[in-house]
Amino acid sequence: MKMPMPANAPAAGVNTNTGFLFFNPDEGAVITAIVDTLIPADATGPGGVEAGVHIYIDRQLGGAYGSAARLNMQGPFRPDIATPSQGYQLPLTPAELIRAGLVDLAAYSQKTKGNTFDNLQPADRNAILTDIDGGKVTFATVPSKVVFDHLYNLVQEGYFGDPIYGGNQGKSVWKMIGFPGVAGMYTQLIEQYRNKPYTADPQSIQDFA
C-alpha cells in the first residue's frame, strides 16, 4: 500500500521534494490547512505541516494507495446496509474520494463561513472538522465522515510513519516521542537509556539502504 520514495532520495530522513505532485494548488492549500488544524505546532513537538504530513498525503494519493491498487473495486457497493467489518463501500478510488471531498468541503465552507477552508481562522476550521467527524455535516456528493476518516488515517500515518514516505520529516516526530525507528535490534541501548529520555538518533528505512 505504501509508495516508497525514489532510490536516490536524500538520506537521514529528509525529503527535499516538497512540491505537490497529486494536488493542484487550491487542493494543496486546503490539505495543508486540514493538516495544520488536526496537528497544530505547539511547544510539545512539530506540527503536521512542519512534519510534512501534507506531502505524505499527496504522495499516497498519487500512488498505488490513491488508485485503489489493493482494494476490491468490483462491488456490489452497499453503504446503506454494510457493517463496518465489511470494509470500504464506495465505487471511488481513495484519490477520487478525497478529491471529491475537497470540492464538497470548499462548497460547505463557503456556504457556512463565507470563505474557503484554507482562508478561515483556526477556530472555524476546527469547528467544521469537528462537525464532520461528529456526523453533523452532509456533503453534496460523497459521505463527509468517510472522507474525514480517510484523511484522519492518512494524517496519523504521515505524522508517525517512516520519513521515506514523505512525512515525519527529519524523524522529528520519532525524536519527540523517543521512538527508535525501524531498527530490528536496539537491546544494546537499553542499559544506556534505562530510566532516561531516549535521545539516540532514530533509524529510518533509508538509513539501511
Side-chain angles (χ1 to χ4, degrees):
M1 187 68 74
K2 305 300 185 185
M3 184 181 70
M5 299 295 292
N8 60 350
V14 176
N15 174 18
T16 58
N17 184 7
T18 56
F20 288 114
L21 302 178
F22 171 78
F23 292 120
N24 65 39
D26 289 341
E27 293 168 340
V30 175
I31 283 294
T32 301
I34 290 172
V35 170
D36 187 50
T37 305
L38 291 175
I39 310 180
D42 60 20
T44 302
V49 174
E50 180 183 353
V53 172
H54 53 311
I55 299 301
Y56 170 84
I57 296 173
D58 178 81
R59 301 299 187 267
Q60 292 304 309
L61 293 179
Y65 168 80
S67 63
R70 297 183 182 179
L71 280 178
N72 176 15
M73 299 300 293
Q74 300 303 309
F77 302 105
R78 295 298 307 272
D80 54 329
I81 61 172
T83 64
S85 64
Q86 292 176 302
Y88 185 66
Q89 292 290 326
L90 292 174
L92 300 173
T93 67
E96 292 169 339
L97 172 69
I98 298 302
R99 182 155 270 161
L102 294 182
V103 173
D104 286 349
L105 176 60
Y108 181 82
S109 176
Q110 194 70 49
K111 178 181 178 181
T112 60
K113 302 293 184 181
N115 209 336
T116 59
F117 184 84
D118 54 298
N119 283 318
L120 296 178
Q121 293 298 311
D124 286 333
R125 295 180 194 169
N126 187 59
I128 288 178
L129 294 183
T130 299
D131 284 347
I132 293 174
D133 183 35
K136 300 178 180 177
V137 174
T138 300
F139 278 173
T141 65
V142 290
S144 61
K145 186 66 165 67
V146 176
V147 174
F148 179 87
D149 288 345
H150 272 71
L151 283 173
Y152 188 70
N153 287 337
L154 287 167
V155 167
Q156 292 181 88
E157 292 172 7
Y159 196 64
F160 293 105
D162 194 290
I164 198 172
Y165 302 115
N168 189 14
Q169 285 290 290
K171 309 170 190 172
S172 55
V173 179
W174 287 353
K175 292 175 182 175
M176 174 184 70
I177 63 177
F179 182 64
V182 299
M185 295 287 289
Y186 48 92
T187 53
Q188 72 279 9
L189 299 174
I190 291 178
E191 285 301 322
Q192 179 180 349
Y193 289 99
R194 188 182 297 280
N195 298 323
K196 300 177 184 176
Y198 185 82
T199 57
D201 192 38
Q203 293 179 301
S204 162
I205 295 172
Q206 285 180 276
D207 294 319
F208 296 90

